[in-house]
Amino acid sequence: MGSVQIVATILAAAITAVAVGLAVRAVMKMVAVIRLGQPAPERFTDKGARTKTMLVETAGHTRMLKWSVVGAAHWFVMVGFIVLSLLVLEAYFEVVTPGGGLPIIGHWTIFALATELIGILGLVGIVVLMAIRLRNRPNRPGNRSRFTGSTMWQGYFVEWVVLLVLIFGFVIRGFKVATDHFEYPVWATPLSHAVGAALPAWTAGVSVAALIKIVISMTWLIVISLNVTMGVAWHRFLAFPNIFFKREPAKPAGSGLGALRPMMSEGKPLDFEEADPESDQFGVAQVEQFSWKGLLDFSTCTECGRCQSQCPAWNTGKPLSPKLLVLSLRDHAYAKAPYLLAGGGKDLTGEEKATAAQLAHLDVLALAEADRPLIGTAEEGGVIDPDVLWSCTTCGACVEQCPVDIEHVDHIVDMRRYQVLIESSFPSEAGVMLRNLENKGNPWGAPQNTREDWTKGLDFEVPRVGEVDDFEYLFWVGCAGAFEDRAKKTTRAVATLLNEAGVKFAILGEGETCSGDPARRIGNEFVFRMLAQQNVETLNEAFEGREKAKRKIVATCPHCFNTLGNEYGQLGGEFEVVHHSQLLAHLVSTGKLTPVQPVDGGVTYHDPCYLGRHNRVFAAPREVLGDAIQGELTEMPRNSERSFCCGAGGARMWMEEKIGKRINVDRVEEAMATGAKTVAVGCPFCSTMLNDGVNGKGAGEQVEVIDVASVLLRSVKPEAAPGERKTAPVAG
């Protein structure tokens, strides 16, 4: 061992010792912070399914590859990081001697070939990612970037480290080639031989290059260890457990879609009959009241901005960015952590739990962070501004796009729950809706005895549950379908088509009340439970004696469809729920409904968030429309899982949109740009919002917004829907 090798070995050992020591301390700190969260025992079930899902999502990059170029580039970089970590280990042998290498596998030609290919593809991948980040930098003139709000220096730092480590891997091999210390053939390591041909035969070059590679790698480890909130680096370790512990590992898409988590206290669903706000947690008022999985979510965020790029609120000038919300919660959690770890914190009555002695040694910044309200304006020092919290439509685009399975919607609704149930703090216009739900059983406050008015004028009798026992489907009409004029047309169309197809169905009539969706999404879990339990009792009575497979419900509203099918099970209501587009598609495919007259003028389809993204129903509505128009749909650029929200979800239907551009107008402009004369929808909320948008654009005479059922009815029975071409403007 020469002097160069001795010095290089000492330096490599020293910086490695420092880096490893700091990394251990950082990991211990992160674990301590995450453990501050509330229990979540349900995250430890189905370990087999969780392991399989984690491996599929990480190794297969199933979520990343939804953005093909970025996903492919990231896959090569990820594989490069994992596999080429062996070459970082090998560098410690190469520091000591130019001919050093990994024991056993380091002499295999197949190992050399694999690492050569991975290194080359990793170089290509990281250059592509660097170019994408530069092209989308937030300070680029006229650019609304998904990286806005991300800590850009951290992204650049990580990418340059990856690039330099890959480069110096080939430099080391090049010096080995130049000094005849390289045992692999040219066909297996072509780039290494090419680099070697350009380098001098400097024997110490191998050790020096290996030392530089180690220094770069350990500098990276030191920097991220000193920045535990550096998600762009830490996600490569935290993504694995975050995906493993996702809420529903068997779901094909984001596990935070569909049903909401029930209100939890101490890791158990809250029992409202026994609950006490002084001893039970109602929503989230402090960052430590999130579950430990929530704190892991915040720590794992990569700051990639995919969620932000798809968020309807962010894209229309609202203050909400799912990414920035998560980053704010992350930074607050880690800044508050010293106070919490010292024993600090408020109990549910607001009293300080720590003694003065416990808090005496704390930094003043940690104490100041502890005093910040979780929800509050800038003047109040709030972590999350109320306008951010109430801008969310719960459309799920953020959850759908997140490559590491962060459950944004659950966290937002948990914070809403505390604001509504304990603070009684929410947009004032939503108060009318909540009072109507409590007093009238529907958000419009319409008399219950008018729920069946939509049946008037039909040329057939609509049977009621209780009057007939022999029905295959219970037709859940929903509040919009019973009371809102446009939605009633959809209800009548569906009933007409079911009758035409000979389907035996029945309605609850006045026995039906609101599903509770708007109450739950705004955060009023109490009103949701009241309505849902009443409905579950009614439905269980209607289906008494039937097994689940024969407890069939068809719903025209995706919000009802989602609530009945995904959330009533939490309250003892197990039903087979289908959306009317699914049933109609089945009836057409089996020949029970036959389209006879093509609907012309061009048709585009708007995917409702709670039908498409939340419940993966994409094909059925398109099949119905394809049969009705006997041709191809004109798709909007944002469709299927990337469909853009209408703006009505998350109880936003009953809240005035005062900030930025109206979401429904943005969507209508996209629909109108297709040139289609008909915008088909599968949701009464979407129908209202898009109709308002069309009328607001003064295009009511040129573009029509109607439900897929009405489109099909015009094709199956052209005479059954006369005079429905024009729709009257509705105040929004």
Side-chain angles (χ1 to χ4, degrees), residues 466-488:
E467 297 176 3
V468 293
D469 294 323
D470 185 22
F471 62 90
E472 184 180 3
Y473 286 93
L474 188 151
F475 182 13
W476 183 272
V477 176
C479 299
F483 301 121
E484 204 273 330
D485 287 341
R486 274 187 297 251
K488 283 196 282 188

Side-chain angles (χ1 to χ4, degrees), residues 55-237:
L55 293 174
V56 168
E57 285 195 22
T58 52
H61 255 41
T62 51
R63 297 175 70 79
M64 286 293 297
L65 285 170
K66 290 179 179 180
W67 294 24
S68 54
V69 174
V70 178
H74 190 277
W75 188 85
F76 288 125
V77 172
M78 180 200 73
V79 173
F81 175 80
I82 295 172
V83 176
L84 299 184
S85 294
L86 292 173
L87 296 188
V88 175
L89 177 61
E90 187 175 52
Y92 287 92
F93 294 92
E94 293 162 335
V95 161
V96 177
T97 174
L102 286 175
I104 305 175
I105 64 171
H107 303 285
W108 295 352
T109 300
I110 188 65
F111 171 74
L113 174 63
T115 51
E116 185 87 356
L117 290 175
I118 292 170
I120 293 171
L121 294 172
L123 279 171
V124 173
I126 196 62
V127 169
V128 169
L129 294 181
M130 293 173 80
I132 290 171
R133 186 177 294 271
L134 287 170
R135 188 184 66 197
N136 290 283
R137 64 188 185 277
N139 60 355
R140 185 178 178 185
N143 188 38
R144 188 168 178 80
S145 170
R146 64 185 174 95
F147 292 117
T148 299
S150 298
T151 313
M152 293 302 288
W153 76 262
Q154 295 179 353
Y156 293 136
F157 171 75
V158 168
E159 288 168 346
W160 272 102
V161 164
V162 173
L163 179 64
L164 291 174
V165 167
L166 289 169
I167 288 173
F168 271 91
F170 286 106
V171 171
I172 293 170
R173 286 186 166 186
F175 273 121
K176 281 188 168 183
V177 170
T179 56
D180 292 328
H181 289 99
F182 201 58
E183 57 190 304
Y184 307 121
V186 175
W187 67 265
T189 54
L191 182 56
S192 297
H193 279 272
V195 172
L199 291 177
W202 181 29
T203 304
V206 175
S207 297
V208 171
L211 174 63
I212 294 173
K213 182 175 181 177
I214 291 170
V215 168
I216 293 170
S217 301
M218 293 304 108
T219 298
W220 173 81
L221 189 55
I222 290 170
V223 170
I224 73 167
S225 298
L226 295 174
N227 293 272
V228 290
T229 58
M230 195 170 174
V232 70
W234 281 106
H235 83 272
R236 62 189 57 194
F237 307 112

